[in-house]
Amino acid sequence: MTLIIGMIYKEGLILIGDTKISGGADEAYDNKIVAPVAGLNVAVGSAGFTQLAKDFNLKIYHLVQQRLAEYRLANIRDLSGTGTSINDIESGKMKGIILPWTYKGFNFLDDCATLTKQLAETGKIYIDNPIESLVAMFLPSSPEILESDFTLYQIDCNGFRVEVPYASIGSGTDHIGDYLRRNYYKDISLKEAILLGTFLIKYVEILEFDKNVGLEKGKLPQIFLIKKDYFKNYEPNITEKSEILDEVKKRIGKIRSSMLLFNSKGKRVDKPVWGGSKVS
């Protein structure tokens, strides 16, 4: 499965996802967050049954392309007989003309909700919530960029969407929800957001809440940023990466050292499960 965390941060939106796509002898890693609409500042990640999540990332591309083709045909139809060529508009020869049919961010949100619900119908044979998705969008409403122009939507398996300032979907969400809620804050910095998301993914991985969630050794998770002038995967520099990984290691270490376990006789175990144990 997958773990993806989304947040509105000080300068825009961030999606952070684990990269493990298979375990065991054939362990492999890849990105799970996609941006399937060229020229539109939207990105999406899905989590659930592994195959359903893979299907989502593949099918959302095809669904968007189908929708764009439908809109183009509708524009050709509506422009017929006006003396205006859609090719001239698309090439930039004719400026200042707004096409009657334009694929926008909320069209993409609708398509993500529809696809999530469709795929979930297959998985509901096995579990109640087989797939969900997280959509990040930058939709400027005016020349002046407003905080409300950055939106994050969580979509459940029924296609119901809710706008949120932060969210997590996928494996381990029940285990990290309280920590995310306590440590997220309005105007969180980029560095703190990356640190928070990386820590939560490593927490789920190390405590083995789901063995299919994880990161390649020494690597950060996939980090997708949406800002006014930036819309793509983000790679911190070497110094930033080292600082983030060191801090995550410290936080995980504190959790390890504070864990209390009990043996089968009800005696408290002083040491964490990762090391030896001493019964009190």
Side-chain angles (χ1 to χ4, degrees), residues 156-170:
D156 69 11
C157 62
N158 296 310
F160 178 78
R161 80 287 302 268
V162 58
E163 185 176 351
V164 291
Y166 65 91
S168 64
I169 60 171

Side-chain angles (χ1 to χ4, degrees), residues 5-16 134-138 145-154 162-168 180 183-190 192-194 196 224-227:
I5 298 136
M7 292 174 265
I8 297 177
Y9 78 103
K10 189 174 183 179
E11 298 175 357
L13 283 161
I14 184 169
L15 293 179
I16 302 173
L134 199 57
V135 179
M137 304 191 301
F138 170 51
I145 303 303
L146 304 174
E147 181 180 332
S148 60
D149 292 336
F150 296 98
T151 53
L152 182 68
Y153 287 90
Q154 185 173 359
V162 58
E163 185 176 351
V164 291
Y166 65 91
S168 64
L180 177 58
N183 288 273
Y184 172 82
Y185 56 92
K186 185 179 178 181
D187 292 334
I188 188 172
S189 69
L190 175 59
E192 282 298 320
I194 294 173
L196 178 57
F224 199 98
L225 291 188
I226 299 180
K227 300 195 296 183

